[in-house]
Amino acid sequence: MTAIEPLRNFVSEFTRLFETSYQTLQIQKVGGQLLRTLVSSDGWLPESYTRPHPEHYSQYLLHCDPLERFSVVSFVWGVGQKTPLHDHRVWGLIGMLRGRESETQYTRRDDGTFEQGETEFLNPGEVAFLAPGVNDYHVVANAVPDQTSISIHVYGANIGGVSRAVYDLGSGAEKTFISGYSSEDVPNLWDRSRSKSA
C-alpha cells in the first residue's frame, strides 16, 4: 500500500456518494464517517501539505471533484494562528488530523452585528459539521500553544473559488474574499506506477 492510498480511497468513496439519491444532509452524515476513518490514522498526508506558513494559516488543495461538487483541503495552523470571523456559504466537514483546533461560533443579529457563542475543541480523529444558515459563522484557531495543528476539510464546492466574506467583530462590516489555495501543485492520487512496479 502506498502512503497516499487512504486519501485516494477516501476521494473515491466520497465521489460515490454523489451517485446515490442522497441529499446534502445524508452526504454530510455518510461523508463524515468516511472523513472520521481518514483522520483516524496519520502518515498518509504528503509532507509538502503539512508545512505551516510563518505569518498565516495555509490551505492546501488535496483534491477537487471534476464537477466541483466537493473539494478536500488540508488546513495547516502554525503556532498562534487563527482565522478572522468568516462564513463558507457551502456545507462543510472538518476532521482533525494532528494537534487541536478551537472553533468559536457566532450568530448574526438583525442589525448585522454578531453575538459570540460557545467555543468547542476538535481533537485528532474527531469530525465537525457546518452548514449555511445553521452554523456558518465562526473563528477557528490552533489550540496547541507550541506546535503545528492540521485539519482536513471537505466542502460542498471548490472552496478556493467560492466568493465568501470575513466580518469585523465589532461592527459586523462584511468584506468579500476568494481564498484560493496555498498549494503550488496538487498531489497525484492516481499514480499507481510505484506500487505496481514494486
Side-chain angles (χ1 to χ4, degrees):
M1 181 171 84
T2 58
I4 207 168
E5 189 168 341
L7 178 58
R8 183 167 59 221
N9 292 342
F10 171 80
V11 165
S12 297
E13 291 300 316
F14 211 99
T15 303
R16 288 189 184 100
L17 296 179
F18 292 89
E19 298 172 2
T20 69
S21 59
Y22 288 163
Q23 299 299 312
T24 299
L25 287 177
Q26 189 70 5
I27 288 173
Q28 278 192 283
K29 181 179 178 181
V30 178
Q33 295 167 352
L34 295 173
L35 183 57
R36 191 171 286 107
T37 298
L38 179 66
V39 297
S40 68
S41 63
D42 205 338
W44 54 265
L45 184 62
E47 190 274 334
S48 56
Y49 302 92
T50 68
R51 297 176 187 153
H53 188 280
E55 297 174 5
H56 54 76
Y57 68 89
S58 297
Q59 178 176 299
Y60 295 106
L61 178 65
L62 300 177
H63 176 77
C64 183
D65 173 69
L67 300 180
E68 298 185 286
R69 296 170 296 185
F70 73 98
S71 53
V72 185
V73 181
S74 72
F75 273 71
V76 182
W77 309 90
V79 171
Q81 292 178 352
K82 67 177 184 176
T83 68
L85 175 60
H86 66 284
D87 64 19
H88 309 84
R89 304 186 182 185
V90 298
W91 61 260
L93 299 166
I94 303 105
M96 203 69 211
L97 185 67
R98 300 178 196 167
R100 192 177 196 221
E101 214 174 77
S102 68
E103 177 195 28
T104 304
Q105 288 285 334
Y106 287 82
T107 303
R108 197 166 200 188
R109 302 183 182 100
D110 291 341
D111 65 1
T113 61
F114 287 88
E115 179 179 348
Q116 183 174 328
E118 293 186 9
T119 297
E120 297 186 348
F121 294 89
L122 205 60
N123 297 300
E126 295 178 343
V127 172
F129 300 75
L130 59 88
V134 179
N135 61 339
D136 197 36
Y137 301 110
H138 67 185
V139 172
V140 181
N142 185 353
V144 182
D146 58 356
Q147 71 179 53
T148 298
S149 292
I150 301 175
S151 50
I152 306 300
H153 297 214
V154 184
Y155 294 103
N158 177 6
I159 195 65
V162 174
S163 180
R164 303 188 280 146
V166 293
Y167 301 87
D168 181 84
L169 280 170
S171 67
E174 178 176 332
K175 180 180 179 183
T176 59
F177 77 103
I178 296 175
S179 66
Y181 297 107
S182 304
S183 320
E184 294 182 5
D185 58 8
V186 178
N188 184 354
L189 304 182
W190 314 113
D191 181 2
R192 301 177 188 268
S193 59
R194 290 181 186 164
S195 61
K196 291 194 172 185
S197 63

